[in-house]
Amino acid sequence: DGLEVLQYRNRHGLNAPLIVLTAFGTVETAVGAMKEGAFDYLNKPVDNDRLLDVVARALASRPDKRDTDYAMIGTSPVMEKIRRQITLYAAGTSAVLITGSSGTGKELAARAIHAASPKKNGPFIKVNCAAIPGELLESELFGHKRGSFTGASTDFSGAFSRADTGILFLDEVGDLPLALQAKLLNAVEEKTINPLGSETSIPIDVKVLSATNHDLPGMILQNTFREDLYYRLNTIHIHIPRLCNRREDIELLVITFLARFSKSANKTIPAISEDVIRLLHAWAWPGNIRELSNVIERAVLTCGEGPITPDHLPRAIRDMKTTLKTGVKEAMNLNSREKKLIIAALNACKWNQTRAAEKLGITRNTLRYRMKKFGIKNNVK
């Protein structure tokens, strides 16, 4: 059964993350699975989207991944800012809250913080607060003593203990049950934990990172998230933007994914047509980087030995081809107007870029990027 497979993996020192999917879920088997190191535990019937998401996260968590896989890819001003934030915030011990829509790369940012921190040689322990049933989550976080509840046949070290001297990443922290939030707050503030069934406090040396795509301030107003916990977790904040808000990074991401998936498929990196690049730039990317990664992986696997063409893209993206020419013309008109607006602002500010950026409501780095994009040269003599 599933527990025997987990035990076999552990005995033979294998690294594959394992997900337990069962039609006969009980608290006892769930605790046993987590104790044996299951990546996640799902009950049948399972939602297909949730299952795919868990599998994708399990693949991304493999311990044989190189640090370079966790780099935040992109040359846009916002990604340059995020990389600077990661370097700066990794050095300290303060809690970091990472926000952004699903698929934007919040876990990659967390792993990049770990790789850049003094705790990089310590463990990186991830807990998905949405994936573990509420009745098991307290034990998963803080551990338990033998006999503390039905099925607790042995002592169990929780995530805080396993992350000692390293980093604990609380993914989907907005889904943390309200009843557990006070205990989490105490652990983060006091740097001690009390396993279930134990009256002894255990000191911990853990840097806490958390991530969510929920509106936590809105949840505070609805009394579903504690305000004091929010401010404790949000000592430092990093927001990962949607892919549609940093389209200048799409081409570099495409190149990266082409190389990665071609290598895993043991094939030469395929050429990619200009029509495909235009379609990828025009698509809204509701699934963000995760969606782009899936699209490129599918294209690499289906293009054979030839180039990637629009026929290798999902139908929804392919169907944009008929309206793309009109969209390109409109984009050209928008670009022309944006260029004129930037020049007007620079002229009004005597080509002082800092003041012009403030007038336009953008950062100086963004202004400089736009000037380079439109070929606007500094007119100061």
Side-chain angles (χ1 to χ4, degrees):
D1 61 22
L3 290 179
E4 290 174 334
V5 175
L6 286 163
Q7 291 162 358
Y8 178 92
R9 179 198 64 177
N10 297 339
R11 284 198 307 271
H12 291 80
L14 304 176
N15 288 329
L18 294 180
I19 299 163
V20 176
L21 179 61
T22 178
F24 307 99
T26 65
V27 171
E28 184 175 0
T29 57
V31 170
M34 292 302 177
K35 178 183 174 183
E36 295 295 339
F39 179 83
D40 212 331
Y41 180 92
L42 302 174
N43 287 309
K44 295 179 183 177
V46 67
D47 177 79
N48 286 340
D49 289 337
R50 182 181 176 192
L51 177 60
L52 288 171
D53 181 64
V54 170
V55 171
R57 288 187 288 101
L59 290 171
S61 74
R62 287 175 296 177
D64 58 346
K65 287 273 187 179
R66 298 170 300 168
D67 285 346
T68 52
D69 286 338
Y70 303 127
M72 302 299 290
I73 299 169
T75 58
S76 60
V78 67
M79 290 309 298
E80 290 178 359
K81 176 184 177 182
I82 288 172
R83 281 194 292 270
R84 288 195 301 271
Q85 288 177 321
I86 286 172
T87 301
L88 178 65
Y89 302 157
T93 59
S94 300
V96 180
L97 176 65
I98 306 168
T99 59
S101 302
S102 294
T104 51
K106 297 186 293 296
E107 182 176 346
L108 296 186
R111 291 186 179 275
I113 290 173
H114 177 242
S117 77
K119 294 181 178 293
K120 65 181 179 182
N121 294 322
F124 179 94
I125 302 297
K126 174 187 170 182
V127 175
N128 189 321
C129 300
I132 301 174
E135 64 272 16
L136 296 178
L137 189 53
E138 184 174 3
S139 173
E140 173 60 25
L141 287 172
F142 307 110
H144 64 252
K145 304 299 287 184
R146 178 181 178 182
S148 56
F149 57 87
T150 303
S153 55
T154 60
D155 291 352
F156 174 70
S157 294
F160 269 99
S161 294
R162 300 198 303 275
D164 196 35
T165 73
I167 283 179
L168 175 63
F169 176 48
L170 301 175
D171 197 12
E172 306 295 351
V173 73
D175 291 292
L176 190 72
L178 194 59
L180 274 183
Q181 292 178 21
K183 190 165 184 178
L184 175 61
L185 174 65
N186 183 73
V188 176
E189 284 188 332
E190 303 299 328
K191 298 190 181 300
T192 60
I193 58 168
N194 286 86
L196 286 170
S198 172
E199 297 181 358
T200 303
S201 295
I202 301 173
I204 49 169
D205 174 20
V206 173
K207 180 181 176 77
V208 177
L209 311 180
S210 52
T212 184
N213 58 7
H214 291 310
D215 174 19
L216 295 187
M219 293 178 66
I220 291 170
L221 293 175
Q222 297 171 4
N223 295 318
T224 55
F225 200 87
R226 291 180 63 112
E227 186 174 15
D228 47 6
L229 177 59
Y230 170 72
Y231 287 117
R232 176 56 63 185
L233 296 179
N234 193 30
T235 304
I236 294 171
H237 180 213
I238 296 177
H239 179 72
I240 312 295
R242 298 185 63 86
L243 183 56
C244 63
N245 293 328
R246 55 183 187 101
R247 292 182 184 275
E248 55 265 61
D249 292 331
I250 288 176
E251 200 155 345
L252 182 57
L253 287 163
V254 169
I255 293 169
T256 302
F257 292 143
L258 279 175
R260 180 178 301 174
F261 295 127
S262 296
K263 182 179 180 180
S264 64
N266 196 27
K267 62 184 293 186
T268 303
I269 298 175
I272 188 165
S273 74
E274 287 297 322
D275 280 347
V276 170
I277 295 297
R278 284 194 289 270
L279 288 166
L280 296 180
H281 272 283
W283 185 241
W285 297 112
N288 296 295
I289 295 174
R290 184 182 295 130
E291 181 186 4
L292 175 61
S293 173
N294 292 341
V295 167
I296 299 303
E297 183 175 16
R298 165 183 162 165
V300 167
L301 294 174
T302 58
C303 71
E305 299 302 318
I308 294 175
T309 69
D311 290 337
H312 302 115
L313 300 178
R315 179 177 294 277
I317 300 178
R318 236 174 25 234
D319 288 347
M320 288 197 306
K321 190 175 181 181
T322 56
T323 59
L324 195 56
K325 291 182 179 179
T326 301
V328 169
K329 288 179 181 178
E330 291 173 354
M332 289 173 67
N333 290 335
L334 286 172
N335 287 340
S336 177
R337 289 198 293 270
E338 184 179 357
K339 181 177 180 179
K340 290 177 181 177
L341 184 63
I342 289 172
I343 292 174
L346 287 165
N347 283 330
C349 299
K350 298 181 179 180
W351 287 77
N352 183 307
Q353 292 182 13
T354 301
R355 288 172 54 205
E358 291 175 354
K359 192 176 185 70
L360 291 166
I362 59 179
T363 66
R364 185 170 180 269
N365 281 341
T366 300
L367 174 61
R368 294 177 65 184
Y369 171 81
R370 296 295 184 189
M371 289 174 67
K372 183 178 179 181
K373 175 182 176 181
F374 296 129
I376 303 172
K377 295 183 179 179
N378 198 324
N379 206 25
V380 177
K381 296 180 180 179

